[in-house]
Amino acid sequence: MTKTGTRSTGRRRTLRRVLITLGTVVAVLLAAIGGGFAWLWTGADISTVGKSSFANELAIPPLAEHTRVKADGTKVFDLEMRAGETEFRPGRRTTTWGFNGDHLGPTLRAERGDKVEVRVRNSLDESSTVHWHGMHLPARMDGGPHQMVRPGATWSPHWKIDQPAATLWYHPHPHGRTAQHVQRGLAGMFLLDDERSSALPLPKKYGVDDLPVIVQDVKFDGDRFDDRRGTMQDVGFLGDRTMVNGTLDPYREVRDELVRLRLLNASTARTYSFGFDDSRRYAHIATDGGLLERPVETDRLQLSPGERAEIVVRVRPGERTTLRSFPQDNYGDAWNTRFGGGDDSFDILQLRAAATLRPSPALPERLGEPEIPDGSDAVRARHFDLKRSGINGHKMAMDRVDDTVTRGTTETWTVRNTNGMPHNFHVHDVQFRVLEVNGKTPPPHLLGAAKDTVFVPSGTTMKLALRFEGPADPDTPYMYHCHLLYHEDKGMMGQFVVVEKGRRAGQPDSRGHEAHAAH
């Protein structure tokens, strides 16, 4: 063989070895990537079903007493934001924040017609706010990102309660840091009563047959809260276990045939589908803004972050039943369902019925008359496109008014999510009616319900009717935003102001959260 032929054969052999080596490396890399993805996929769903010891008695947040009554009848409450430590697990203390305590806050309670003032003192080492979620009140009292309270300062919002009985809540709303502040423990319920609800034969003994159920998901890193988002968790932080009212593995002994659960999803990103482990049916009696017209019998109720619902469940003497969150099928595609928490399931709270139960009266056939518009007198329609990048293509800007509405008018807002992942939509100050879901009549749990927060899965369009009663304030905005708090913190939020007819919006302070610190 010639030298030229020998060299040519050698080159072919070398090339063949290189190609074989490269092919082996690529195959190994693909196998590693595939294995890694399979590991991520199979490990992405979480379940605590059958794993809870239910060893801890459910804590009931205390009812806050007003500290004094002013000459004009205003009831004054005191809330102090402060840091502390909480022993969620025996012998292990976790740094937490709370109102008037180490973690979470007391339950505030007032009646329709009451004048209230809440003196909010910030004893933390950073600024925060307190937003009255679901409350109708002046924009300057709303506690949004324009009403920050600096460390050591006190803010004293005051307003008149002018809305039906409902389960509301309060939590921080600092721009860009809301998720972090809520996760640390700053949250509490605010219950409203009125003559109609008080006269109904419903379970109403707070902490006895009428239980607050503040549901949050958590994860621990040693003694600390772990608030890091997992791989590909685009919805935000998802914990690997739940707690109720700050209690891990909770149980509650009940001594009445009917038990009312005031469900609050206070998680920052996780959506729950509430039911019971034995699939028993229960009565859904109220949503965000108050009582439904009639009880709705169901065995599942989906609540996204910020949403509330009141349910009444019947128990039999001596039995145990577990409030559970079930997997959900409306998160979008398989990817978003798996990595967004839609496949997860949790045992949340065990109810233990006493051997002998006090008899409870039957639920009334009619409950309330929601005070929400039907859209027939709407003067304007607006559209809101929900995306992680912002609402209607805009990220939140503290000095920009996105929408101006006229006091005393009704509008229809169409909210659309084509983003591939779940979102929800919360509007400050108002309770709205869901008119349509994808062009059809809303499902029973939304039909005629007063809502301030609504779950908007991917591929969903909702039409809402809202009425703006004011008072007018052209310079101080209310917020609308996704209440998956990671999304909100990243700018998925807009602002609107309420003005008198013929007036224009003013200019919010461009410094916003830094300028409006304390009163």
Side-chain angles (χ1 to χ4, degrees):
M1 182 180 292
T2 65
K3 291 182 179 180
T4 302
T6 301
R7 287 197 297 270
S8 177
T9 301
R11 284 196 296 269
R12 286 197 297 272
R13 288 174 179 172
T14 300
L15 179 61
R16 188 162 53 247
R17 285 196 296 268
V18 169
L19 291 175
I20 290 171
T21 301
L22 284 175
T24 302
V25 170
V26 170
V28 170
L29 286 174
L30 288 174
I33 292 170
F37 177 76
W39 176 79
L40 284 173
W41 180 269
T42 57
D45 61 325
I46 298 168
S47 175
T48 64
V49 171
K51 302 174 184 177
S52 178
S53 63
F54 296 117
N56 302 311
E57 185 172 5
L58 178 69
I60 300 296
L63 283 172
E65 299 288 343
H66 55 267
T67 54
R68 66 190 182 99
V69 179
K70 290 185 172 181
D72 66 352
T74 298
K75 297 178 180 178
V76 181
F77 297 89
D78 287 299
L79 288 180
E80 180 188 14
M81 294 184 281
R82 62 196 196 203
E85 290 186 330
T86 304
E87 190 174 301
F88 297 106
R89 299 163 295 170
R92 311 194 71 168
R93 302 193 66 82
T94 299
T95 299
T96 54
W97 287 0
F99 292 100
N100 297 359
D102 292 334
H103 186 250
L104 299 182
T107 297
L108 303 183
R109 195 158 201 167
E111 295 185 12
R112 189 170 198 172
D114 282 351
K115 288 183 286 186
V116 300
E117 176 181 325
V118 187
R119 296 186 300 197
V120 178
R121 178 169 179 78
N122 185 1
S123 297
L124 302 171
D125 58 3
E126 63 179 278
S127 298
S128 192
T129 77
V130 181
H131 165 55
W132 317 104
H133 185 125
M135 192 77 73
H136 171 54
L137 75 179
R140 292 180 182 273
M141 311 299 171
D142 184 55
H146 289 276
Q147 290 92 44
M148 294 293 285
V149 188
R150 290 195 180 112
T154 299
W155 176 57
S156 299
H158 51 89
W159 68 96
K160 183 177 181 180
I161 305 295
D162 187 20
Q163 62 192 98
T167 298
L168 311 183
W169 68 303
Y170 59 94
H171 63 82
H173 210 305
H175 183 38
R177 304 195 306 279
T178 298
Q180 181 186 74
H181 287 206
V182 172
Q183 282 177 316
R184 290 178 178 179
L186 291 179
M189 279 193 175
F190 200 138
L191 306 184
L192 302 184
D193 301 305
D194 61 18
E195 290 185 2
R196 182 186 183 95
S197 67
S198 297
L200 291 172
L202 296 172
K204 55 173 62 77
K205 296 185 288 291
Y206 180 81
V208 179
D209 62 355
D210 184 357
L211 305 179
V213 180
I214 303 172
V215 183
Q216 297 171 299
D217 60 335
V218 293
K219 183 184 292 185
F220 291 96
D221 179 7
D223 291 338
R224 302 179 304 163
F225 281 141
D226 183 354
D227 59 2
R228 293 169 295 182
R229 288 187 304 114
T231 304
M232 294 178 281
Q233 288 181 349
D234 290 334
V235 297
F237 167 80
L238 296 174
D240 58 9
R241 60 193 304 185
T242 56
M243 60 183 179
V244 179
N245 302 346
T247 309
L248 293 171
D249 298 326
Y251 74 89
R252 186 68 179 177
E253 294 184 355
V254 293
R255 299 182 178 278
D256 295 87
E257 291 177 335
L258 294 182
V259 181
R260 181 183 192 174
L261 303 180
R262 296 180 184 257
L263 303 175
L264 161 61
N265 183 352
S267 295
T268 60
R270 184 176 292 285
T271 297
Y272 300 98
S273 178
F274 290 106
F276 287 89
D277 60 336
D278 53 11
S279 297
R280 72 180 58 200
R281 298 182 72 77
Y282 54 86
H284 178 205
I285 65 167
T287 186
D288 299 342
L291 294 170
L292 298 170
E293 291 184 12
R294 294 178 176 83
V296 175
E297 188 178 284
T298 186
D299 63 355
R300 294 286 189 278
L301 187 60
Q302 190 177 45
L303 295 182
S304 62
E307 289 187 277
R308 290 88 62 210
E310 298 175 31
I311 67 173
V312 175
V313 59
R314 179 175 294 278
V315 295
R316 294 178 292 274
E319 73 170 349
R320 296 184 178 187
T321 186
T322 299
L323 180 68
R324 177 175 291 174
S325 178
F326 291 84
Q328 299 150 72
D329 60 1
N330 60 346
Y331 266 52
D333 58 25
W335 178 278
N336 280 287
T337 299
R338 175 55 58 100
F339 293 105
D343 287 335
D344 298 347
S345 53
F346 296 91
D347 279 349
I348 293 174
L349 168 66
Q350 186 180 77
L351 298 179
R352 300 178 180 177
T356 303
L357 299 176
R358 288 183 288 261
S360 301
L363 292 179
E365 292 185 4
R366 293 190 60 85
L367 296 170
E369 296 178 1
E371 299 174 13
I372 47 176
D374 61 11
S376 61
D377 59 344
V379 300
R380 180 167 181 172
R382 301 179 197 263
H383 292 76
F384 300 86
D385 195 30
L386 306 183
K387 293 187 183 300
R388 266 282 308 281
S389 56
I391 299 179
N392 288 343
H394 299 291
K395 294 187 70 171
M396 168 67 179
M398 292 287 289
D399 60 350
R400 184 188 69 235
V401 174
D402 297 283
D403 297 277
T404 303
V405 301
T406 301
R407 186 180 70 83
T409 64
T410 298
E411 297 188 356
T412 57
W413 289 12
T414 298
V415 182
R416 183 180 66 167
N417 176 11
T418 58
N419 201 199
M421 68 181 69
H423 293 303
N424 72 2
F425 193 67
H426 170 51
V427 185
H428 289 208
D429 183 55
V430 301
Q431 294 292 331
F432 53 75
R433 183 191 298 265
V434 179
L435 299 177
E436 297 176 2
V437 178
N438 291 333
K440 299 179 181 178
T441 301
H445 72 283
L446 292 178
L447 189 61
K451 297 286 293 176
D452 56 60
T453 310
V454 68
F455 188 47
V456 188
S458 180
T460 300
T461 299
M462 289 192 176
K463 186 177 181 180
L464 318 175
L466 312 86
R467 184 170 180 83
F468 303 93
E469 299 290 354
D473 186 340
D475 299 311
T476 309
Y478 296 105
M479 308 293 120
Y480 55 79
H481 56 88
C482 179
H483 214 285
L484 278 66
L485 298 183
Y486 172 65
H487 294 177
E488 172 191 326
D489 285 343
K490 292 299 181 181
M492 199 172 169
M493 178 162 62
Q495 304 189 123
F496 70 97
V497 294
V498 179
V499 301
E500 296 291 354
K501 186 176 181 179
R503 301 294 298 273
R504 294 184 177 182
Q507 181 65 49
D509 195 307
S510 62
R511 295 168 295 169
H513 57 292
E514 295 298 335
H516 297 169
H519 294 43

